[in-house]
Amino acid sequence: MLNCTTKFIFTLLSVVATSLLVYGDQRGLLSDHDIGPDPRTTVGAEYARIFSTSPNYRALSMATMGRESFSWEYGPTFYRGQLGQNQVKVLIIGPAPNRSSQVTHRAFSSSLGGYAQSLINYLGYESNYLLINAFSYPLTEPYSKPVTIQLGAKSVSVNFVDHKMYQLAQNPLSPLVKWRHKLVDHIAQSNKGSLELIITIGRSASDSLATYLTSKGLKCPSAVSKLSAQQFAKKNKISLITPYQYGVNLNDCSFRGDKGVFINPFSEKLKVIHFLSWPAHSPGVVDYELKIKRTISLLKKWHTYDSTWSMTLKNKSDFVLGHPFRLTKSPIPLKDYSFGVTQLASGPETLTTQESFTPRSKNSGRLFISFGSKQNGSFKFSTKDMYKSYFEKPTPFADASDHIFKNVPWEPSKIGFLKFDRGPGAYWAEVFTGARHDVPSPDRDVFKPHSETSLLLVNTSARSNGSKSFYRGRPHQTEVLILADQQSHDDTFSGRALTGFEGQRLQSLLYSIKAGTNYTILRTLPFDTLGLSQDKMDSLIYLTQPWRRAVWEKLIKNSNNKFNIKLIFVLGPCAESLLNDGLLDNYNIPVVSLNKRSFVDMSITHGIDFLPTKYQQAFNKVLQTKTWTRSEMEFSEALISIPRVDLPWGLPRWVGTSGDRVIRSKIKNDEYIYKIIPPEWVYNHSPRPLNDDDNIYIKKITIPPKIKKIYYGNPLFILK
């Protein structure tokens, strides 16, 4: 146990401003964050509802493809960007999300996101964009495969989509297509006064937009002719249902003869939307730069000569000034992510890996995602920690609407989809991160080496991934305040304090004393400090003392708080040591320690034994407290999952359940990485049953496809 006494002599070093609050003015303030779909607005609530009705990817994939074609364990990814009324001027549609998006739960979060951001910045759309994917889950197999076909005397390489994949992804009867069209319709409707450009990146995105456009009456030519498609299919014994399996010429899709343009179907003033396919990044391809120039030329042509299109770009954008476009990995703004999200998994230089883990008595391995370092090379994890985390049992849910039998654990809640934490709000985000003038930065003096010994106070990974878990709860609605040390690495992934085993244990106490949702947990130190030596912990406590005192005073003296704080808990040795530092003096608020240990605390992980645990001892003290009076308080030691109202939008249901979900690697070159482990019971959970719409689609495609007629200009097909 660490004894975090602050009674020591510390030699002050010269201070160099190394705050992580501003990342070279490229990513914005650490206080910047995305609240998710705003349930307080009609537009935001509809986004949340649409996201909650996402298709049954697992069951539909197995019914159509005969196998699991999507990586589902870490949940879906729906968007990145602005979700407000008339905030979107450019919509970018990309391929299936990748591993980084499954960590951040925002689309376009790694290299492709950096490339897309460079295009957004070039055009001048920095505050008016929305990015979505053609699929909500990563694919476990390629969407298309390269083939060479004969076009006259020429051999041409094209990407061919298997007929099963094409039906699942582009058949108008497919629930995936219907849901995607609902989403694009809502984007067009809620941005009918602003949306003016749609860009696709990748084959699946171009196919998906073409399918949407044809549903609105446009005609889209296939990349190869019907005859060439049929000849190649016959020669190679390929199941062909439409020549669009070979691709679509998206830029030639036309509306009443006009290419690359259509009218927003929800616009009252016939708002024109242009669209184009952006060349996929192909390193080493000679004509890639030429394709880029042609695409930019097309945009300039529209911007210059098309009077129906405003393209309201800022005057000094590189595009308007005529500067050439250079493909770079631009930094992704923090305003696109939930407050506290780990930053290394939300940037174009992200390095996420996926390693196989084969549990006992299992023939096939599990793929776990790791993140946290830019350096290549393998990091080692404790096999014991992996087994312990993987085999944890599910914990009860505090909210009946989020019961596991009403939701699948790998998705956000479908029942209580409006219940999530929008973040602390602008004021408290600035307070927690030290962005206000009267609150010091928590990391100003932390991330710098000693002048001679070059001893880093916090490991390099903690600095580079910018992981800071400040709080959990509602600072504007607090009756119970908890000052707590870090207890696990789950906070690094969830972005909220105490979401692992100890947090679920604390949740049971809060439930027992009838605290409701009127509590706030403040981390003693917002960095990853587990395993640091006593000297380093003492140094960190000393260096962050001004920040902590300023935040604590604002929490207790908060004029915006609906309640008066009636009870304070302290959890962890550092939190307890601050009592001796006078942090809680002069407030006349009862303070209850959660650090009293007994034999039981060291020998059990679940349930109650004959000796009182530290939480039962704390409960007994609360019963004696005159300022806290609640009727029918009854103690329970059983773990309770973290309520959804405490967690950011988009996290799968298994986050905040079943003990600790994140483990840290052994140190390598002064860095760590973190492994996110879904529990075994999630893998054993069956997909949702197919509904009526799903079954209508399945009945159509289970018959061997025979072409009855192919419509040119329309990638739809009719099955016999």
Side-chain angles (χ1 to χ4, degrees):
M1 184 190 305
L2 294 176
N3 178 18
C4 294
T5 177
T6 57
K7 296 180 180 180
F8 63 96
I9 299 176
F10 187 83
T11 303
L12 292 177
L13 305 172
S14 59
V15 176
V16 179
T18 55
S19 173
L20 295 181
L21 290 176
V22 178
Y23 293 79
D25 293 326
Q26 294 181 327
R27 300 199 67 185
L29 295 175
L30 194 62
S31 57
D32 293 342
H33 63 281
D34 174 40
I35 67 172
D38 193 344
R40 299 167 297 183
T41 67
T42 302
V43 169
E46 180 62 12
Y47 272 119
R49 188 196 67 79
I50 292 173
F51 294 148
S52 73
T53 60
S54 60
N56 192 347
Y57 271 79
R58 288 191 67 191
L60 289 168
S61 169
M62 287 187 282
T64 306
M65 307 290 293
R67 57 188 177 275
E68 296 265 22
S69 297
F70 297 93
S71 179
W72 52 270
E73 298 91 337
Y74 290 85
T77 300
F78 295 117
Y79 80 98
R80 176 166 72 81
Q82 287 72 54
L83 295 182
Q85 183 85 33
N86 285 323
Q87 289 184 339
V88 178
K89 294 181 180 179
V90 59
L91 170 66
I92 296 181
I93 305 175
N98 61 9
R99 292 188 297 265
S100 295
S101 290
Q102 290 194 300
V103 175
T104 64
H105 293 95
R106 293 297 186 272
F108 287 80
S109 283
S110 59
S111 294
L112 182 60
Y115 293 136
Q117 204 67 39
S118 69
L119 174 60
I120 290 168
N121 297 343
Y122 174 76
L123 295 176
Y125 285 124
E126 290 97 330
S127 301
N128 302 101
Y129 59 85
L130 182 62
L131 303 101
I132 63 174
N133 299 104
F135 303 99
S136 299
Y137 291 85
L139 281 165
T140 58
E141 57 189 274
Y143 173 75
S144 61
K145 298 178 181 179
V147 297
T148 302
I149 64 173
Q150 200 71 24
L151 294 179
K154 294 175 59 179
S155 295
V156 179
S157 178
V158 296
N159 288 317
F160 179 80
V161 182
D162 176 79
H163 74 282
K164 292 181 180 179
M165 176 65 76
Y166 195 85
Q167 289 185 100
L168 179 64
Q170 307 304 335
N171 186 334
L173 293 176
S174 169
L176 271 64
V177 175
K178 290 181 178 180
W179 181 87
R180 192 169 57 222
H181 286 187
K182 286 181 182 178
L183 175 58
V184 178
D185 275 347
H186 183 58
I187 294 170
Q189 185 174 27
S190 58
N191 295 281
K192 57 187 178 183
S194 59
L195 183 61
E196 55 193 21
L197 179 62
I198 301 177
I199 297 174
T200 66
I201 301 177
R203 170 68 191 279
S204 59
S206 295
D207 286 355
S208 299
L209 181 57
T211 303
Y212 176 79
L213 293 175
T214 56
S215 73
K216 302 302 179 185
L218 276 73
K219 296 184 181 297
C220 298
S222 59
V224 300
S225 68
K226 173 184 176 182
L227 180 61
S228 297
Q230 290 178 333
Q231 288 176 344
F232 182 82
K234 183 177 180 180
K235 179 180 179 181
N236 294 276
K237 297 181 180 180
I238 293 175
S239 297
L240 184 72
I241 51 178
T242 170
Y244 291 92
Q245 290 172 248
Y246 293 95
V248 60
N249 289 331
L250 182 67
N251 292 355
D252 291 331
C253 292
S254 60
F255 178 75
R256 297 176 183 175
D258 294 327
K259 295 181 179 180
V261 60
F262 76 108
I263 304 297
N264 189 331
F266 304 98
S267 173
E268 299 170 356
K269 298 181 179 179
L270 299 181
K271 176 70 175 178
V272 173
I273 301 176
H274 282 69
F275 56 87
L276 58 84
S277 175
W278 190 259
H281 183 223
S282 304
V285 177
V286 177
D287 63 346
Y288 178 69
E289 292 295 332
L290 180 60
K291 290 180 180 179
I292 291 289
K293 291 179 181 179
R294 288 175 179 171
T295 307
I296 296 295
S297 297
L298 182 60
L299 279 171
K300 289 182 177 178
K301 177 183 176 182
W302 290 338
H303 181 53
T304 305
Y305 299 108
D306 191 344
S307 60
T308 64
W309 190 35
S310 60
M311 198 171 185
T312 52
L313 304 174
K314 65 181 186 180
N315 293 330
K316 294 184 180 180
S317 70
D318 288 342
F319 172 77
V320 172
L321 294 175
H323 297 162
F325 174 74
R326 289 183 173 83
L327 188 69
T328 59
K329 296 179 184 179
S330 296
I332 300 175
L334 296 179
K335 66 182 177 65
D336 288 358
Y337 296 99
S338 300
F339 183 77
V341 71
T342 181
Q343 292 161 29
L344 188 63
S346 63
E349 298 298 335
T350 296
L351 176 63
T352 51
T353 59
Q354 191 165 291
E355 303 90 9
S356 177
F357 167 70
T358 305
R360 293 182 296 265
S361 74
K362 296 289 181 182
N363 295 325
S364 59
R366 307 301 194 196
L367 294 177
F368 297 149
I369 293 178
S370 300
F371 69 94
S373 173
K374 296 181 181 180
Q375 63 172 294
N376 293 318
S378 59
F379 286 80
K380 294 183 178 180
F381 289 87
S382 164
T383 303
K384 179 181 177 181
D385 289 345
M386 282 195 286
Y387 272 107
K388 182 179 184 302
S389 183
Y390 178 73
F391 286 109
E392 287 281 7
K393 302 300 181 183
T395 47
F397 291 99
D399 190 337
S401 68
D402 283 327
H403 196 277
I404 198 63
F405 295 109
K406 295 182 180 180
N407 294 284
V408 290
W410 57 87
E411 292 181 344
S413 178
K414 287 184 172 293
I415 307 299
F417 58 86
L418 295 181
K419 295 181 179 180
F420 60 89
D421 181 21
R422 300 192 300 269
Y427 172 80
W428 284 107
E430 291 178 355
V431 169
F432 290 144
T433 59
R436 291 184 61 83
H437 69 280
D438 55 348
V439 180
S441 163
D443 58 0
R444 183 186 63 189
D445 298 333
V446 172
F447 294 119
K448 66 185 183 65
H450 285 255
S451 56
E452 294 181 359
T453 61
S454 296
L455 177 65
L456 222 59
L457 289 177
V458 182
N459 68 76
T460 306
S461 287
R463 178 183 183 182
S464 61
N465 71 28
S467 177
K468 292 184 178 61
S469 301
F470 294 96
Y471 86 107
R472 176 163 66 84
R474 280 142 293 283
H476 63 284
Q477 186 179 318
T478 300
E479 289 185 288
V480 180
L481 201 51
I482 304 105
L483 182 62
D485 296 351
Q486 180 186 4
Q487 302 294 320
S488 73
H489 298 295
D490 288 55
D491 306 1
T492 307
F493 171 53
S494 67
R496 295 296 183 269
L498 272 67
T499 55
F501 171 79
E502 200 66 32
Q504 294 157 39
R505 203 175 177 195
L506 173 63
Q507 204 65 41
S508 182
L509 175 64
L510 294 173
Y511 185 79
S512 298
I513 67 171
K514 309 292 185 181
T517 59
N518 304 326
Y519 55 83
T520 296
I521 302 169
L522 177 69
R523 279 267 298 266
T524 313
L525 294 164
F527 323 112
D528 178 12
T529 58
L530 288 184
L532 290 183
S533 67
Q534 179 177 333
D535 289 343
K536 287 187 178 182
M537 292 296 290
D538 286 343
S539 299
L540 283 172
I541 289 293
Y542 178 85
L543 291 170
T544 56
Q545 188 179 39
W547 165 79
R548 191 167 36 256
R549 184 175 293 277
V551 173
W552 191 258
E553 288 184 355
K554 287 187 177 296
L555 281 168
I556 293 182
K557 297 179 179 180
N558 179 16
S559 60
N560 297 321
N561 193 357
K562 295 180 181 179
F563 309 100
N564 292 321
I565 294 176
K566 301 180 178 66
L567 190 61
I568 295 175
F569 290 107
V570 290
L571 174 61
C574 292
E576 182 121 16
S577 72
L578 295 173
L579 294 175
N580 302 324
D581 192 38
L583 181 66
L584 307 181
D585 291 350
N586 304 319
Y587 293 119
N588 296 320
I589 302 174
V591 180
V592 178
S593 173
L594 297 174
N595 299 314
K596 298 295 186 292
R597 293 188 174 274
S598 68
F599 171 79
V600 178
D601 281 307
M602 295 182 285
S603 61
I604 68 169
T605 56
H606 302 282
I608 307 175
D609 208 332
F610 60 96
L611 293 177
T613 66
K614 62 183 180 183
Y615 284 97
Q616 188 167 7
Q617 291 173 350
F619 177 80
N620 294 336
K621 281 195 173 183
V622 172
L623 293 178
Q624 302 169 11
T625 302
K626 295 181 180 180
T627 59
W628 187 264
T629 55
R630 294 290 190 275
S631 60
E632 299 180 356
M633 288 190 293
E634 184 177 352
F635 179 74
S636 173
E637 183 77 31
L639 272 66
I640 294 180
S641 296
I642 307 302
R644 309 320 292 174
V645 293
D646 283 11
L647 297 173
W649 181 85
L651 294 178
R653 285 293 300 116
W654 56 259
V655 176
T657 75
S658 312
D660 296 337
R661 298 288 95 232
V662 180
I663 63 174
R664 193 178 66 187
S665 72
K666 298 177 181 178
I667 194 166
K668 177 182 178 182
N669 298 331
D670 205 25
E671 289 194 357
Y672 299 105
I673 65 171
Y674 303 86
K675 189 182 295 292
I676 309 167
I677 303 178
E680 180 192 33
W681 59 266
V682 172
Y683 291 93
N684 294 337
H685 200 287
S686 301
R688 298 194 311 274
L690 294 171
N691 59 30
D692 292 341
D693 286 342
D694 297 337
N695 285 319
I696 290 174
Y697 158 72
I698 295 300
K699 288 178 182 178
K700 291 287 185 179
I701 66 163
T702 50
I703 302 173
K706 295 181 180 179
I707 297 177
K708 184 176 182 180
K709 185 176 181 181
I710 294 179
Y711 288 101
Y712 277 97
N714 193 327
L716 315 188
F717 43 81
I718 296 180
L719 304 180
K720 187 176 179 181

